[in-house]
Amino acid sequence: GQSLEQPSEVTAVEGAIVQINCTYQTSGFYGLSWYQQHDGGAPTFLSYNALDGLEETGRFSSFLSRSDSYGYLLLQELQMKDSASYFCASQTGANNLFFGTGTRLTVIP
Amino acid sequence: DGGITQSPKYLFRKEGQNVTLSCEQNLNHDAMYWYRQDPGQGLRLIYYSQIVNDFQKGDIAEGYSVSREKKESFPLTVTSAQKNPTAFYLCASSISEAPHEQYFGPGTRLTVT
């Protein structure tokens, strides 16, 4: 079977840094993706890690440790518009993704 | 502008009726996907297609059917055999070599009563 675990909710202050963790148990693991989804909206792709280490894209960074079956998404200089749900998704096999249940991030003033 | 369109945004049906959800993309992507999302939950894969005239079952294919007659189009039929069809349905596409980076349509919210 496959499983992805991430916290269900996180709250952080505007301007701060927040880290959303994701641990996975999957077979045939290729890499870990992160998606953002605002309420009622479509998920949008944020980042992907196939190799161990940190990938940085503006205010967002993503990290992967294959040996620990663990990754995280780091959001810096939080803005109110970052309030959304964030999903980790494992690429399991050549053709598709398996999504976690999501972390709802609330940014407060 | 390139993108994925899904129609309609809201759909209401009576129990026992089949209903087809539309998904069209002009991104020239070979791969297309259908997901179901229930409130407060993640996305669950229903069907995916890597190429025209070929598709594979995902994790929750029972009660659903698809076709892929054109590269641009991947309609999903929710049949009366699907026990709990009320959900938010999302269509996505990607290049075949990068299934980790999927582009999503705006979704169709289906309510069956």
Side-chain angles (χ1 to χ4, degrees), chain A residues 33 35 37 42 48 91 94 96 100, chain B residues 33 37 42 48 99-100 102 104-105:
Chain A
S33 292
Y35 285 79
Q37 184 182 31
Y48 175 68
Q91 182 182 348
N96 55 46
Chain B
Y33 313 82
Q37 187 175 33
Y48 64 99
H100 59 268
Q102 296 181 14
F104 283 82

Side-chain angles (χ1 to χ4, degrees), chain A residues 1 3 5-7 12 17 30 48 50-53 66 68 71-72 75 80 94 98-99 102-103 105 107 109:
Chain A
S3 71
E5 288 193 19
Q6 48 181 135
I17 299 172
Y30 278 59
Y48 175 68
L51 303 175
D52 285 1
R66 284 174 165 265
D68 295 323
Y72 65 72
L75 295 81
M80 299 300 289
F98 181 81
F99 282 80
T103 298
L105 171 65
V107 180

Side-chain angles (χ1 to χ4, degrees), chain B residues 17-36:
Chain B
Q17 293 179 334
N18 291 356
V19 59
T20 298
L21 310 185
S22 164
C23 177
E24 304 276 332
Q25 55 98 1
N26 60 5
L27 298 167
N28 200 34
H29 287 168
D30 283 313
M32 297 187 74
Y33 313 82
W34 272 106
Y35 294 92
R36 169 186 174 133

Side-chain angles (χ1 to χ4, degrees), chain A residues 2-103:
Chain A
Q2 302 179 74
S3 71
L4 288 164
E5 288 193 19
Q6 48 181 135
S8 58
E9 294 183 352
V10 171
T11 300
V13 177
E14 190 177 13
I17 299 172
V18 71
Q19 179 173 312
I20 299 174
N21 299 321
C22 175
T23 56
Y24 60 88
Q25 279 189 315
T26 64
S27 55
F29 180 80
Y30 278 59
L32 196 68
S33 292
W34 289 92
Y35 285 79
Q36 178 193 60
Q37 184 182 31
H38 287 97
D39 283 347
T44 56
F45 173 77
L46 293 176
S47 68
Y48 175 68
N49 295 70
L51 303 175
D52 285 1
L54 192 68
E55 294 279 343
E56 298 182 68
T57 310
R59 294 188 297 115
F60 294 0
S61 303
S62 58
F63 172 83
L64 178 66
S65 168
R66 284 174 165 265
S67 59
D68 295 323
S69 296
Y70 163 76
Y72 65 72
L73 180 70
L74 193 73
L75 295 81
Q76 302 181 76
E77 300 172 16
L78 279 173
Q79 302 176 9
M80 299 300 289
K81 67 178 182 180
D82 297 329
S83 291
S85 292
Y86 293 84
F87 295 90
C88 58
S90 61
Q91 182 182 348
T92 57
N95 297 328
N96 55 46
L97 290 178
F98 181 81
F99 282 80
T101 54
T103 298

Side-chain angles (χ1 to χ4, degrees), chain B residues 1 10-11 17 22 38 41 47-48 57 104 108-109 111:
Chain B
D1 279 339
Y10 298 94
L11 192 53
Q17 293 179 334
S22 164
D38 292 287
Q41 299 297 311
Y47 269 98
Y48 64 99
K57 291 182 179 180
F104 283 82
T108 293
R109 196 167 295 278
T111 301

